[in-house]
Amino acid sequence: MTAPHLYLLFPGTAMEALEFYQGVFGGRLELNTYQEFSRTDGPGDAIAHGMLTDGLVTLFASDAGADEDAFSMTGGMFALLGTAEPATLTRWFDALADGGRVLDPLVKRPWGATDGQVADRYGLRWLIGYED
């Protein structure tokens, strides 16, 4: 790993969330259960470690263990500014908005860049944008 990556703890929805993100961003998804890792601090079929890799967006996640707090987001967002071609970023914005909420539409701004914000169905907030 050459840079920090986000690691999310979901409240029992890690598999569903990571499959959703794979559908949005592409990449390779690996999922391991608590049972596979011989962990006893959560249900055997819960996700102990999941990775979305080999795409433009990398995410790590698991289901929160019994003594862990599940992810919640306030006062922050994940920036995907210029990380892909405009058509790809627009597609990602629309896919993340499906079942989520557009906070600020993806539009061209007075300074010339295009950007917008969306909170997806799992509570992650994304800033997506590009310059012409």
Side-chain angles (χ1 to χ4, degrees):
M1 194 172 0
T2 59
H5 292 287
L6 182 63
Y7 201 114
L8 300 165
L9 301 176
F10 285 100
T13 58
M15 180 184 300
E16 176 185 313
L18 285 168
E19 288 174 345
F20 170 75
Y21 295 124
Q22 182 186 35
V24 173
F25 301 117
R28 184 172 55 92
L29 183 58
E30 290 183 43
L31 299 170
N32 297 98
T33 65
Y34 275 62
Q35 183 177 6
E36 290 170 328
F37 279 7
S38 299
R39 285 182 58 180
T40 58
D41 56 326
D45 62 347
I47 299 303
H49 180 64
M51 302 186 307
L52 179 63
T53 58
D54 295 341
L56 294 174
V57 174
T58 299
L59 292 173
F60 298 94
S62 67
D63 288 314
D67 294 329
E68 298 175 317
D69 293 327
F71 166 81
S72 67
M73 180 172 237
T74 58
M77 65 185 82
F78 303 105
L80 296 175
L81 299 171
T83 57
E85 294 298 319
T88 298
L89 290 163
T90 299
R91 183 173 41 80
W92 289 353
F93 187 93
D94 293 341
L96 291 166
D98 183 19
R101 184 169 49 105
V102 173
L103 304 170
D104 188 16
L106 185 63
V107 297
K108 188 164 188 151
R109 305 298 174 174
W111 55 89
T114 297
D115 68 31
Q117 297 178 37
V118 61
D120 70 35
R121 63 180 77 173
Y122 297 99
L124 275 73
R125 188 171 171 169
W126 301 88
L127 170 62
I128 296 177
Y130 53 88
E131 295 193 23
D132 293 331

